[in-house]
Amino acid sequence: MERAELPGIIAVMSTKPRHAIDESTFSPWWAIVTFVLLGVLVWFLYTPSLSSEPGIFNRIADYISSFIPGLSLNDVEGVDKIVHLTGFALVAASGLLAGWKARWVIGLSVLHAGLSEVLQKFVIPGRTGDVFDALADIVGILIAWIIVAILWTRKEPS
């Protein structure tokens, strides 16, 4: 029995995952976006925090809060986790959209999530590593992977 003759969902099944991007669809523009976002993320993660000054995130949050009276992002519970989740999600999503293999993008992103917290705890002055930051990073990576997979399957012809 040929594949086209199979009933229902079996007829549309493929050995290639639906979210897999054909290597011929590499996008240099998304690759550039990935490297820029990775650079920003690395800057946020690895810039030392001197005890006499607030950290980079606190300075940026104070700056943003200055435009909205009564808002102090530094006082909002969980903002740090949202920043971690968003940063890693953006880098992972742009890497996937660039056309790089998902196993490499996801694998290296998860490795970086864990490594960044170890480096913050033991190497970067004034920084502390947090397991929950790494978990937020990984959740962001997984959310990006799911969203890109959903968006990519919508682009395929039915």
Side-chain angles (χ1 to χ4, degrees):
M1 183 184 279
E2 288 185 31
R3 196 162 128 182
E5 298 172 14
L6 294 174
I9 194 161
I10 297 173
V12 295
M13 289 179 65
S14 167
T15 57
K16 185 176 180 180
R18 293 183 69 187
H19 65 277
I21 298 174
D22 186 12
E23 291 176 15
S24 64
T25 62
F26 176 75
S27 169
W29 295 109
W30 276 113
I32 291 168
V33 169
T34 302
F35 287 119
V36 169
L37 290 172
L38 181 60
V40 171
L41 182 64
V42 165
W43 181 68
F44 267 102
L45 292 173
Y46 300 115
T47 300
S49 176
L50 304 174
S51 59
S52 61
E53 297 180 21
I56 290 172
F57 174 74
N58 290 336
R59 284 183 268 169
I60 292 172
D62 284 340
Y63 178 75
I64 293 170
S65 296
S66 70
F67 292 106
I68 304 169
L71 175 67
S72 175
L73 290 176
N74 288 323
D75 296 336
V76 176
E77 184 85 19
V79 169
D80 176 54
K81 303 303 180 253
I82 293 169
V83 169
H84 274 268
L85 185 144
T86 304
F88 275 83
L90 290 173
V91 171
S94 62
L96 292 168
L97 291 170
W100 290 316
K101 293 186 182 284
R103 68 175 172 253
W104 285 103
V105 173
I106 304 305
L108 290 173
S109 295
V110 169
L111 180 66
H112 182 224
L115 183 62
S116 69
E117 295 305 319
V118 171
L119 291 173
Q120 285 182 25
K121 182 168 181 73
F122 297 110
V123 178
I124 311 294
R127 302 298 298 267
T128 58
D130 183 2
V131 171
F132 294 110
D133 284 349
L135 288 174
D137 300 341
I138 293 168
V139 167
I141 294 163
L142 295 177
I143 289 171
W145 190 15
I146 290 167
I147 290 172
V148 169
I150 290 169
L151 292 175
W152 195 256
T153 57
R154 289 185 180 174
K155 289 183 179 181
E156 290 181 359
S158 337

